[in-house]
Amino acid sequence: MTISMTTLEAETGGAPSVDAAPPAPRQGVWHHLLRNRGAVLALSYIALVALLAVAAPLVVKLSGWGPYEFDQAAIDPNLGGLPIGPLGGISAEHWFGVEPGTGRDLFARIVYGARTSMLIALAATTLTTLLGVLFGLLAGYHGGKVDQVVSRVMDFLMAFPALIFMIAILSALPASNRAPLLVLVISVFGWPYLARVVRGQTMTLTQREFVEAARASGASGWRIVVLEILPNLRSTIIVMTTLAVPGYIGTEAGLSFLGVGVVPPTPSWGQMIAQSMSWYAVDPMYFLLPGTFLFLLVLSFTVLGDRLKDVVDAGERR
Amino acid sequence: MSALLEVDDLTITFRTAQGPVDVVDQLSFTLEQGASLGIVGESGSGKSMTSLAVMGLLPPTASLRGRVSLDGTDLTNLPESKVRRMRGDRMAMIFQDPLSSLNPYYTVGMQIEEAYRAHRAGVTRRQARKVAIEAMERVHIADASRRVDHYPHQFSGGMRQRVMIAMALSTEPDLLVADEPTTALDVTVQAQILDLLQEVRRETGTALILISHDLAVVSEIAEDVVVMRQGVAVEQAPAERLFSDPQHPYTRALLDAVPRIDDEIGELRGIDSVESAARVGGKP
Amino acid sequence: MVRFLVTRLAGMVGVLFLVVLFTYAIFFALSPDPAVQICGKNCTPELIDQIRTNLGLDRPFYEQFLGFLSGLFVGTTYGTGPNAIDCAAPCLGYSFQTGQPVLEMFEQRFGVSATLAVGAAVLWLLMGVAGGMLAAIKKGTWFDRAATGAALGGVSIPNYVLALVLQYVLVVQLGWLPFPQAVPFAADPGQWFLNFVMPWLVLAFTYASMYQRLTRANVLDTLDENFVRTARAKGLAPRLVWRRHALRPALTPVVTLFGMDFAGLLGGAIIIETVFGLNGVGKMASDSITKNDQPVIMGVTLVAAFLVIVGNVIVDIVYTTIDPRVRIGARA
Amino acid sequence: MTRRVTRRATRPALRAGAFATATVLVLGACSGGGGGSSSTASSTSGLEGEPAEGGVVQVLQNADFSYLDPAKGWDGGVNNFYRLVYRTLTTPASGSAEDPNEIVPDLATDTGTVSDDGLTWTFTLKDGLKFDNGDPITSAEVEFGVSRAWDPEIGIGSPYAKQVIDAPDDYQGPYLSGDLPTIETPDDKTIVFHLKAPFPDFPAVASQPNFAPFPVDSGAGDEFLNDIVASGPYTLDEYTPGSVINLVRNENWDPATDEVRTAKPDGWHFQLGLDPATIDERLLAGQGSDVNAIAGNLQPATLARLQDPRYSDRLVDWPGVCTTYMGLNTTKKPLDDVKVRQAISYAVDKAAVQNGTGGTMLADVASTTIPASVAGHKDFDLYPSEGNTGDVEKAKALLAEAGYADGFEMTLDMRTQPKLQAQAEAVQQSLARVGIEVTFNPIDTSKFYETIGTPKLQNDAAITGWCPDWASSASTVIPPLFDGRRITDKGNSNLGQIDDPAINSAIDDALAITDPAAANEAWGNLDEQVLEQAPIVPLLVEKVVLLPGENVTGVYSSPGVATGGLDYTGVGLKDPSKG
């Protein structure tokens, strides 16, 4: 399930080990990725969604309808506001049909919904990675009391029923600006999964000769961490981060689906699916379209993460 | 009387993304009953693949040409089920890393019993356990009747390798293949294990193939030596002649790389280089 | 073993205490005033004050928190005088909106959630583990490719989307299944099954996909292990190599993950029960969030945390018996 | 004195008019009904026939009732339920009555006698009244029941008893303060109420749920949370909060004493906690016991599936009694300018709001505060536009006059529920046309009323609804919404915060009128007078659209008890052996 943190849990077992040679050069990774059909397709789709998200205002100028514009002519007021025409009102006018009840253009809403999904997922990923790497390094390098404290906090956060708590806390918080809150809440519960791996690998690396050598030569703690340890964690961090992105996209959509996500009228895929629920029998396109976009985005990031992991693992085996 | 093992024109080919690669190329050698053969070569020379080919344990991506016959039976033409019945019974194998080669979830006793019972139909657990304890005693594991119920992680590296040897010997095989049996062990333990191999060979009359990257190790036990490089046997000779009069430049290079061996017991000088070589060549 | 258990239990109690404190503090700070909710449509400021005093809502945070804690063990009484409401131990709180102790609300809805969870767990273990093993055995074949692809899709499709798709196809278009509602097993076993089969499938599908991927990867990794090679070198029958030497190590992580996932199912149940309108604990959680029924949200959060933590402890204990390398007490 | 109310313009019977555009949906029976001229128009072919004795009615419901205790609960849903198990001194007439808005006697022999000064109301109880335990119901039990309204924790239901009946300032209900001295019970059959001020609508107050009798000293604390003492035709057999309510016959209820309740079915089975979509699916399918099922409003998405003729026979469509409106906070700039408020009234696209609410089948566009189905309604539209889509030109002109030709920004308090969200978005879009930029302040549903009812927290505008507490008069519509003297710090319902002396005094005048017809005319005129100031924009009157099971009959609307919805008291089954 896209919301459960166990997705990450399962992946950590397969995180690349640090015992092997230094990470494969970036060029090599790209080279290998671009030779994989799945990875290329995934990258293309992600690029497409990212492009739609960035260029949303331009795109809807092309399609002719904004995400908030009502089109009363596209719905039938006598049938509960059902879109007029087959397939949820798909026409030259409305490429993906319209939303029941309001007649808003689904294409424009999906395009703007991509903004929400991408923005929140990427922001959450960035914050989670920062927190995870920072605390992982801190605990792994310092050990002792620092490690104790960080590890206990991680245990605590991971034992927490994160989804239930996220829903509860978001519903209680003021609704005016949910996006930063969503990012914050997702990150607070997300970082331990990366930090745990970073901590373990840092501990191993700290014992290694080159770190000991650096230490013997009198390098300061942060210098060692940044120059000696961090570069060795690069592939781990990249892989784990890529694998975490689909989780965050799913979580954002899930929370929006449950009504504690972004605030309307800002469109979000999860929210659209939630609203389509009562219409699924008469207007299946209403849930199929945002559902497909969401599914493909999560799938693409999962595929990309998988392939990236394969490439990095293979690089390390060589 | 025919030889125990005849390897004739053995070629092992791997399918890779870059096309087929021959890891062993037209290798031939024979081994008499109770004799011992050393195969020496650096990492990637094909020596381990040769041993796996003898055991019929090549990975599915490898294909094999030539003949490998045990007691006149060509193993390469036998169906897998028949080879399996010989494997562990007529011929047994011990591996480099005794820790990962033992299943951490089961007691060593159980793992030895399992080897024995696989080839002795109708043996009770009690009998098998007795065999296991005896086998452990034979490899000088103290307090075998108690330790038989311990798990692999409760043993030291050398003891684990003794367990592996005990397991291999439990069925009294004609042929024992030892693939880098001492590489993962401490230096002092290495010598003990080599002594043990010598001892059991003398006592049971088992023929032995000893595979190592280390000429010093091979020189202690092997009567004949095959030197392999990039899948090809560059030199094949009785041990004494090989050491005294190496013919091939590569053999000479190998001999030079290892500090001179002054006596048969071996002072095991230059341990550091052996260790680090092992580290590079071995599995991390 | 005793010492291990004592340490684990002490740690568990500590984490639970923190969860309670944390949750309570947050809701104390953020929740709408329950007195206002009780006060109803025609409320006056005086009335609100009166209700606050009666229910002890005007007391400082630590007093209310201690009251809640002691309610867990010895029960508690809300309000004073003739209108006092007793909540017997273990009192998880009292919902003034439904007029029920939270524990009672749990008990009423637990059956539906348990049915959902157990059914889904059986399905996902069957589908995931068997599928993963088969895919690993048949690595590279069309079956492996199909199963791996399906699992990749499975971990990517949000379960509410899957639920809508299935509902549209199976119920609306084909009419094979009824529109799901919780039918008690005792009432009509056939209907019970038909009504639950879709929620089971949807809830199980994502997990099954995850387990399929995990099992397949683990089995493949294990088959590469040296001890499997040893087992083959012993001349063991392939069946025995597989069953004894490959499966057990490969499935150990699956077992531990299963413990955690099963304990954390309450989270998954929220969406499934909401989508299918099943009146279980998850639905109760989402409903009480909509209504901002703070004691119920607190109770659900607590019970969920309790399950996850107990699940962790059980997994640890099971782990020590499955894997001899893990000595008791070695894992903190 | 008995109150007689003139008949409303539109009967809350089945109306087929709204379906005229949906070709398949035109009801076969509309030829006989229509218009509301006939007093029996409330049956259609699918719902014809008298209810037979017996059977169990199934009620499919999403939410549980608020409280089983009538002193606590007070909303359209639970009031309707209370009538099955409780009786009050008076009660709104049955939905099948000639005038369902009328207040009729229930426990009392008439609707009360008022003293000349209007301060004392006397009621006499009927003979043969009993609780479900067989104990007689006397004036003492009625007094006890009413006095519970003063308990600070229990008396959170209808406020009218406390507002109207005189009581000592420190009186806190029977459990804390004992008997209420201002309610006299000279004998077992007579009960006398003393009021703070004359209140001609007192018979309607006596129909409020908290006028149900209870055995003296019962019902403290949580006693009535899960159990009740019934005085109506049914009593509680099983209650699992949030999931099941089972009602069975109260053998001690004597039909001879009750003119309102027919109580034909043997029992009622409420299935609570069902998903709205699930309910609709079950109603559509009508399998098994669902042939005997009734439920609340259909979902908008379901309407599109009713084109099948087998549903149209069962479909029920009534006008509602609750007005959905947008309050404009007159204390905020620039909404303090009447021209700006009028401009907004012109600009709002009510048709879009209607579509967002579910289209023409689920809502009528409103131009007045008092809905057409409530007594006192006057038909007018001060801010007309073509197709109710808003008059952008007029709005722009008014804005320019007010000096806001370029528009302005305002904040709308809203709830994030699909329907309410769609309404808010429709308003946002239509106001954008005249340059008014609306930003949302989304509020959690549970906090919404607290926020908008607290003038300090209230923003510029909010969309909410208002239902009259009784349909016999608009006295519970206009005063709470527009009386400037009723603005309070908390729990305020005058969202416009309009405090106009002319309106205030007109309210006083209308409240004092004892002739119902004259009073209704006054309320209608007052409605128009208020809307000229435009403190609110009436948007819609949401309708009642039901799909009862095919075996259900006796389906009538009750504006007084069920806010225009189905009156439970008349419902029965055609064939009790079915389902």
Side-chain angles (χ1 to χ4, degrees), chain B residues 163-185:
Chain B
V163 170
M164 286 296 291
I165 296 170
M167 188 190 299
L169 295 178
S170 65
T171 53
E172 295 170 340
D174 298 330
L175 172 66
L176 179 63
V177 181
D179 186 359
E180 305 263 16
T182 59
T183 310
L185 303 177

Coordinates of all heavy atoms in Angstrom, one line a residue, chain B residues 163-185:
Chain B
V163 N 34.3 -28.9 10.9 CA 32.9 -29.5 10.7 C 32.7 -29.8 9.2 O 32.1 -30.9 8.9 CB 31.9 -28.5 11.2 CG1 30.5 -28.9 10.8 CG2 32.0 -28.3 12.7
M164 N 33.1 -28.9 8.4 CA 32.9 -29.1 6.9 C 33.6 -30.4 6.5 O 33.1 -31.2 5.7 CB 33.5 -27.9 6.1 CG 32.6 -26.7 6.2 SD 31.0 -26.8 5.4 CE 31.4 -27.0 3.7
I165 N 34.8 -30.6 7.0 CA 35.6 -31.8 6.6 C 34.9 -33.0 7.2 O 34.7 -34.0 6.5 CB 37.0 -31.6 7.1 CG1 37.7 -30.5 6.4 CG2 37.8 -33.0 6.9 CD1 39.1 -30.1 7.0
A166 N 34.4 -32.9 8.4 CA 33.7 -34.0 9.0 C 32.5 -34.4 8.2 O 32.2 -35.6 7.9 CB 33.3 -33.7 10.5
M167 N 31.8 -33.3 7.8 CA 30.6 -33.6 6.9 C 31.0 -34.3 5.6 O 30.3 -35.2 5.2 CB 30.0 -32.2 6.6 CG 28.6 -32.3 6.0 SD 28.1 -30.7 5.4 CE 28.1 -29.8 6.9
A168 N 32.1 -33.8 5.0 CA 32.5 -34.4 3.7 C 32.9 -35.8 3.9 O 32.7 -36.7 3.1 CB 33.6 -33.6 3.1
L169 N 33.5 -36.1 5.1 CA 34.1 -37.5 5.3 C 33.1 -38.4 5.8 O 33.3 -39.6 5.8 CB 35.3 -37.4 6.3 CG 36.5 -36.6 5.8 CD1 37.5 -36.6 6.9 CD2 37.0 -37.3 4.5
S170 N 31.9 -37.9 6.3 CA 30.9 -38.8 6.9 C 30.5 -40.0 6.0 O 30.2 -41.0 6.5 CB 29.7 -38.0 7.4 OG 29.0 -37.5 6.2
T171 N 30.5 -39.8 4.7 CA 30.1 -40.8 3.8 C 31.3 -41.6 3.2 O 31.1 -42.4 2.3 CB 29.3 -40.2 2.6 OG1 30.1 -39.2 2.0 CG2 28.0 -39.7 3.1
E172 N 32.5 -41.3 3.7 CA 33.7 -41.9 3.3 C 33.9 -41.9 1.8 O 33.8 -42.9 1.1 CB 33.8 -43.4 3.8 CG 33.9 -43.4 5.3 CD 33.7 -44.8 5.9 OE1 33.1 -45.7 5.2 OE2 34.1 -45.0 7.0
P173 N 34.0 -40.7 1.2 CA 34.0 -40.6 -0.2 C 35.4 -41.0 -0.8 O 36.4 -41.1 -0.1 CB 33.8 -39.1 -0.4 CG 34.4 -38.5 0.8 CD 34.1 -39.4 1.9
D174 N 35.4 -41.3 -2.1 CA 36.6 -41.7 -2.8 C 37.5 -40.4 -3.1 O 38.7 -40.5 -3.2 CB 36.3 -42.4 -4.1 CG 35.6 -43.7 -3.8 OD1 35.8 -44.3 -2.7 OD2 34.8 -44.1 -4.7
L175 N 36.7 -39.3 -3.3 CA 37.4 -38.1 -3.7 C 36.9 -37.0 -2.9 O 35.7 -36.8 -2.6 CB 37.0 -37.8 -5.2 CG 37.5 -36.5 -5.8 CD1 39.0 -36.4 -5.8 CD2 36.9 -36.3 -7.2
L176 N 37.9 -36.2 -2.4 CA 37.6 -35.0 -1.7 C 38.1 -33.8 -2.4 O 39.3 -33.7 -2.8 CB 38.2 -35.1 -0.3 CG 37.9 -33.9 0.7 CD1 36.5 -33.7 1.0 CD2 38.8 -34.0 1.9
V177 N 37.2 -32.8 -2.7 CA 37.6 -31.6 -3.4 C 37.6 -30.5 -2.4 O 36.6 -30.2 -1.7 CB 36.7 -31.3 -4.6 CG1 37.2 -30.0 -5.3 CG2 36.6 -32.4 -5.5
A178 N 38.8 -29.9 -2.2 CA 38.9 -28.8 -1.2 C 39.2 -27.5 -2.0 O 40.3 -27.4 -2.5 CB 40.0 -29.1 -0.2
D179 N 38.3 -26.6 -2.0 CA 38.4 -25.4 -2.7 C 38.9 -24.3 -1.8 O 38.1 -23.8 -1.0 CB 37.1 -25.0 -3.4 CG 37.2 -23.8 -4.3 OD1 38.4 -23.2 -4.4 OD2 36.3 -23.4 -5.0
E180 N 40.1 -23.9 -1.8 CA 40.7 -22.9 -1.0 C 40.2 -23.1 0.5 O 39.7 -22.2 1.1 CB 40.2 -21.5 -1.4 CG 40.5 -21.1 -2.8 CD 41.8 -20.3 -3.0 OE1 42.6 -20.3 -2.0 OE2 42.0 -19.7 -4.1
P181 N 40.5 -24.3 1.0 CA 40.0 -24.6 2.4 C 40.6 -23.8 3.5 O 40.0 -23.7 4.6 CB 40.4 -26.1 2.5 CG 41.6 -26.3 1.7 CD 41.4 -25.3 0.5
T182 N 41.7 -23.1 3.3 CA 42.3 -22.4 4.4 C 42.4 -20.9 4.2 O 42.8 -20.2 5.1 CB 43.8 -22.9 4.6 OG1 44.5 -22.7 3.3 CG2 43.8 -24.4 4.9
T183 N 41.9 -20.5 3.0 CA 42.1 -19.1 2.7 C 41.4 -18.1 3.7 O 42.0 -17.0 4.0 CB 41.5 -18.8 1.3 OG1 42.0 -19.8 0.4 CG2 41.9 -17.4 0.8
A184 N 40.3 -18.5 4.2 CA 39.5 -17.6 5.1 C 40.0 -17.7 6.5 O 39.4 -17.1 7.4 CB 38.0 -17.8 4.9
L185 N 41.0 -18.5 6.8 CA 41.3 -18.8 8.2 C 42.6 -18.1 8.6 O 43.4 -17.6 7.8 CB 41.5 -20.3 8.3 CG 40.3 -21.2 7.9 CD1 40.7 -22.6 8.1 CD2 39.1 -20.8 8.8

